[in-house]
Amino acid sequence: MSSGQEAGSSSGGSGDGGAAAPRRNTRKPKYSKFTQQELPACKPILTPKWVISVFVLVGVIFVPIGLVSLKASRKVVEIVDRYDDACVPANTTDKLAYIQNPTISKNCRRTLTVPKDMDAPIFVYYQLDNFYQNHRRYVKSRSDAQLRDPKKANDTSTCDPEGTANGMAIVPCGLIAWSIFNDTYGFVRNSKNLPVDKKDISWKSDREHKFGRDVFPKNFQNGSLIGGKTLDPNKSLSEQEDLIVWMRTAALPTFRKLYGRIHTDLKKGDTITVTLENNYNTYSFSGKKKLVLSTSTWLGGKNDFLGLAYLSVGGLCFFLAFAFTLLYLIKPRKMGDNNYLSWNRNPAGRHSEQVIAEISAFRDNILIGKV
């Protein structure tokens, strides 16, 4: 008994007096200046002078950039010719039947006049309107693995409804490749042909990494319904740049794609005869086709939006700077004036005592839990 009591007393003594206080469970995070937001920080005071100066600075920077960009865009010379309606015979009532009939000649001749001098290189584009290349089913109907690797020729699971034809895989498969643009253009000036250079019209990264050098078209456009251009089965996909350009889908329903380049200067007043084949079907979806000849500048093609955007933002900044300056001069405010605080104001028709009473009542309601 004594030994048991001693053991009990010794254990009790060690538990009460010898051990430290039990550690409390807490979810309090470890203290740091970062978590407590106590790091040194710059807190600028936006005085009227600072605000006005910032607006003026932005305006001084943006307006010249906008003027330069707009001037560069206005230097671009463009010739835009819509031919989808003009190239349909006058006595044709059903345009869809006309474009789908392979026995009818689709040759068409257009005459263009150069409005200003156009320095080489002159870029030749085709423009399509109301063509939604960004449609979800259309964009997904392709096989990137098949385009890169000849061993993936039968990988057509994502290419519906143009994955196979006559029981064989289509290379390249999918709706995008199937619907490739197939109108052609030829240019003549003063009875001399203007050759169109179609080399390097696609992105270099696409040619080298997305389209294989040892992948060749196979069983393409052999189905019951022909979509667009046929491809040369003896040329690898990396060499078929019209296909590569078309496969880079556009984000908007109106888009241009590069057809080629003309490395000959054109003078103002020159007459260009365009011989084209109006093969591509845009009549089934009320689309439009246009031929575009365009020069370029250091900023690219003709695009007034960038310059107008810079001018608009710069002009708005100048206006705000002027408005704030007038406000600052006409009705200045002392920095840190407590009279502008809401609880220090004396609204018209109300006494300060009434305001103080309302604030006191609101405080009391908070204390007793009514608010």
Side-chain angles (χ1 to χ4, degrees):
M1 291 295 292
S2 62
S3 61
Q5 291 176 353
E6 289 178 358
S9 61
S10 63
S11 62
S14 61
D16 295 336
R23 184 178 180 181
R24 294 188 304 166
N25 292 327
T26 176
R27 300 178 65 182
K28 180 179 179 180
K30 184 179 179 180
Y31 171 80
S32 70
K33 289 186 177 182
F34 177 77
T35 58
Q36 297 302 318
Q37 300 183 10
E38 295 178 357
L39 292 173
C42 178
K43 301 178 181 178
I45 299 176
L46 298 179
T47 63
K49 292 181 180 180
W50 267 105
V51 174
I52 294 171
S53 300
V54 170
F55 277 126
V56 171
L57 179 63
V58 173
V60 168
I61 294 174
F62 274 47
V63 169
I65 294 177
L67 291 174
V68 172
S69 302
L70 196 59
K71 184 178 179 181
S73 177
R74 296 293 169 85
K75 285 185 177 179
V76 176
V77 183
E78 275 192 357
I79 303 175
V80 181
D81 179 53
R82 179 184 174 185
Y83 63 88
D84 56 290
D85 284 339
C87 286
V88 176
N91 57 350
T92 301
T93 56
D94 191 346
K95 296 179 181 179
L96 185 59
Y98 155 77
I99 201 68
Q100 291 178 342
N101 190 341
T103 62
I104 301 177
S105 174
K106 305 300 190 303
N107 290 335
C108 180
R109 181 168 294 183
R110 304 287 293 165
T111 300
L112 308 178
T113 302
V114 179
K116 296 180 181 179
D117 290 350
M118 302 179 70
D119 298 330
I122 299 170
F123 296 88
V124 181
Y125 300 93
Y126 56 88
Q127 176 176 322
L128 295 179
D129 295 0
N130 200 37
F131 191 113
Y132 288 84
Q133 268 198 321
N134 60 349
H135 191 282
R136 181 178 61 87
R137 292 187 62 188
Y138 185 87
V139 172
K140 291 176 63 177
S141 184
R142 62 185 293 166
S143 174
D144 291 324
Q146 185 199 62
L147 296 174
R148 290 191 303 264
D149 189 354
K151 298 178 181 179
K152 302 289 186 179
N154 294 323
D155 186 2
T156 61
S157 58
T158 59
C159 294
D160 290 339
E162 291 296 325
T164 59
N166 303 321
M168 299 174 60
I170 300 173
V171 181
C173 66
L175 281 175
I176 305 177
W178 174 81
S179 61
I180 181 174
F181 190 77
N182 62 343
D183 285 5
T184 60
Y185 309 109
F187 301 90
V188 177
R189 182 189 64 171
N190 300 330
S191 301
K192 293 183 179 180
N193 289 330
L194 292 175
V196 179
D197 181 14
K198 298 179 71 67
K199 184 176 177 58
D200 295 337
I201 61 174
S202 60
W203 288 23
K204 183 179 179 181
S205 59
D206 288 353
R207 295 194 302 269
E208 295 182 350
H209 303 293
K210 292 188 176 182
F211 293 81
R213 296 182 180 179
D214 49 358
V215 180
F216 295 86
K218 183 178 65 175
N219 198 32
F220 187 70
Q221 301 290 18
N222 287 338
S224 58
L225 187 62
I226 305 301
K229 178 181 178 180
T230 57
L231 301 178
D232 187 351
N234 298 317
K235 292 177 64 176
S236 66
L237 296 186
S238 64
E239 298 176 290
Q240 313 230 20
E241 297 200 48
D242 285 331
L243 172 69
I244 299 174
V245 171
W246 181 259
M247 293 289 286
R248 181 166 284 276
T249 54
L252 300 175
T254 298
F255 58 87
R256 294 178 181 178
K257 291 185 181 292
L258 186 60
Y259 181 82
R261 301 181 185 88
I262 298 175
H263 297 287
T264 305
D265 294 340
L266 300 178
K267 300 300 181 181
K268 179 180 179 180
D270 283 352
T271 299
I272 302 174
T273 302
V274 184
T275 303
L276 59 88
E277 291 188 9
N278 182 29
N279 297 317
Y280 200 69
N281 180 14
T282 57
Y283 307 105
S284 59
F285 54 89
S286 301
K288 300 176 183 178
K289 293 189 290 187
K290 298 176 183 178
L291 171 64
V292 181
L293 303 181
S294 175
T295 60
S296 65
T297 62
W298 59 270
L299 195 61
K302 190 175 184 63
N303 185 5
D304 293 344
F305 174 78
L306 184 62
L308 293 175
Y310 271 106
L311 286 176
S312 300
V313 174
L316 179 61
C317 289
F318 275 131
F319 172 77
L320 292 175
F322 179 72
F324 287 166
T325 302
L326 286 182
L327 185 63
Y328 179 66
L329 295 176
I330 295 174
K331 193 177 180 182
R333 288 177 55 176
K334 179 182 177 182
M335 292 298 298
D337 190 354
N338 293 333
N339 292 326
Y340 287 97
L341 297 175
S342 60
W343 53 83
N344 289 335
R345 293 179 183 176
N346 187 8
R350 301 176 67 187
H351 298 289
S352 59
E353 293 81 1
Q354 182 180 356
V355 175
I356 294 173
E358 290 179 357
I359 293 175
S360 300
F362 182 73
R363 180 194 60 191
D364 295 339
N365 288 333
I366 292 178
L367 294 176
I368 64 177
K370 289 185 178 181
V371 178

